[in-house]
Amino acid sequence: MKTRLILFSFLFISLMVQAQQPRKFLHGQVINDSLKVENVVIFNINARTGTTTLPKGYFNILARENDTLVFSGLLFKSKKVVITKNDLDLDLFKVKLQIFTNELAEVVVTGKNQDPSLKNKQAIVDKKYADDAQSSPKNIAMPNYNVTENGVNFVRLYKDVLKVLRKNNPKKNNFTDEMAFTELVVKRINYSFFSETLKIDDDHLKLFLVYCNNDAQSKTYTEKNSDFELMDFLVRKNNEFKKLVTSNP
């Protein structure tokens, strides 16, 4: 009994000391071997703060030992990292993200660089071709990286979201570079709101914010200080977004 009491006291003191440790800025960089890293969203789950990457993937975020950071981007698989004391002591903390597929990268590039002389190019990219076992046998030894763990085809989901955005904004070519609304959201809204209230997967988080960002109403919230109105807007957009997700086999 005495031993248990000592262990409990030691654990309690350790937790109290950790809780009192002030957070400091963690200077980091998100990297990938093949693609340029941009517009990645980073949440500190424990501190309930967030930020977005600067050019070349650099970022600064308040953190302390045992904080968990969540990284979410359009082209990359989401990643959670538990911060250690060694990470905090580094001059530059690097996080490598994996891409979803080259197919998704091609879709994003096509969406950003539309040439009027090639106006039908995206239609060709988006076209769903029939396949058969003879022309493209399935390799059962390799995982299907097009599909997330919950069974949603991420590449197809991105294409469908892009089609909706183009329909609503026919004169707009780039749907991913505007970051004002996204930066506002990650700084003011807790990660738990997205994961627990909206039930958005980490892999879909950045795409969801892009979807919200391209709603004309989103710009009005950058001038308002009401988190309640902002969350109400996110709830409404989430209902639309979920319909796209559930319609993707």
Side-chain angles (χ1 to χ4, degrees):
M1 182 67 182
K2 184 177 180 180
T3 302
R4 290 182 179 180
L5 182 61
I6 293 174
L7 289 174
F8 178 78
S9 300
F10 178 77
L11 178 61
F12 179 77
I13 293 173
S14 298
L15 291 174
M16 289 296 293
V17 170
Q18 179 180 318
Q20 293 174 358
Q21 292 178 350
R23 288 185 171 88
K24 64 178 184 179
F25 274 108
L26 175 68
H27 305 288
Q29 183 183 22
V30 182
I31 59 174
N32 178 266
D33 293 334
S34 304
L35 297 177
K36 176 183 177 182
V37 176
E38 58 183 5
N39 297 348
V40 172
V41 170
I42 308 165
F43 276 101
N44 184 327
I45 296 178
N46 305 83
R48 298 185 177 183
T49 59
T51 188
T52 55
T53 52
L54 301 168
K56 297 184 179 180
Y58 292 105
F59 68 91
N60 296 300
I61 192 168
L62 285 171
R64 66 186 175 201
E65 188 177 354
N66 292 326
D67 278 357
T68 299
L69 303 186
V70 176
F71 298 81
S72 179
L74 281 177
L75 302 179
F76 308 100
K77 298 178 184 178
S78 63
K79 187 172 186 177
K80 288 185 178 180
V81 178
V82 178
I83 300 302
T84 66
K85 184 179 183 301
N86 290 336
D87 294 333
L88 294 170
D89 293 336
L90 293 173
D91 292 331
L92 185 65
F93 170 64
K94 292 189 176 183
V95 178
K96 181 180 287 188
L97 298 184
Q98 292 181 309
I99 61 174
F100 274 103
T101 62
N102 289 331
E103 180 185 357
L104 179 56
E106 290 172 2
V107 174
V108 174
V109 171
T110 304
K112 287 185 178 182
N113 303 285
Q114 292 184 353
D115 187 334
S117 64
L118 300 174
K119 61 181 180 180
N120 293 323
K121 184 177 180 181
Q122 187 61 38
I124 296 173
V125 172
D126 284 341
K127 185 175 181 180
K128 200 170 186 177
Y129 292 96
D131 203 357
D132 56 64
Q134 287 73 32
S135 62
S136 182
K138 182 178 181 181
N139 185 349
I140 59 175
M142 295 297 292
N144 184 357
Y145 291 114
N146 286 343
V147 181
T148 56
E149 292 182 0
N150 63 1
V152 176
N153 186 314
F154 190 86
V155 176
R156 177 52 50 186
L157 172 60
Y158 184 90
K159 291 177 180 178
D160 287 348
V161 170
L162 198 62
K163 288 177 183 177
V164 172
L165 297 181
R166 286 199 181 115
K167 181 179 179 180
N168 296 336
N169 303 274
K171 296 182 179 180
K172 189 174 181 179
N173 290 330
N174 195 326
F175 298 97
T176 62
D177 281 352
E178 294 181 3
M179 292 293 291
F181 177 77
T182 298
E183 291 174 354
L184 172 74
V185 170
V186 299
K187 290 178 180 178
R188 287 173 47 181
I189 305 300
N190 296 341
Y191 170 80
S192 60
F193 178 77
F194 295 99
S195 61
E196 298 173 13
T197 303
L198 300 184
K199 306 294 183 183
I200 295 179
D201 295 335
D202 292 338
D203 284 330
H204 295 159
L205 181 54
K206 176 57 184 177
L207 182 58
F208 171 67
L209 291 175
V210 168
Y211 182 70
C212 294
N213 192 27
N214 283 279
D215 187 310
Q217 293 184 15
S218 67
K219 295 178 176 57
T220 64
Y221 296 97
T222 60
E223 303 172 355
K224 294 183 177 180
N225 295 321
S226 174
D227 288 350
F228 177 80
E229 291 184 20
L230 178 57
M231 288 189 289
D232 182 63
F233 172 73
L234 293 172
V235 168
R236 286 186 281 111
K237 297 304 294 183
N238 185 49
N239 292 333
E240 299 174 12
F241 187 77
K242 288 296 184 184
K243 291 179 181 178
L244 288 175
V245 173
T246 55
S247 66
N248 277 267

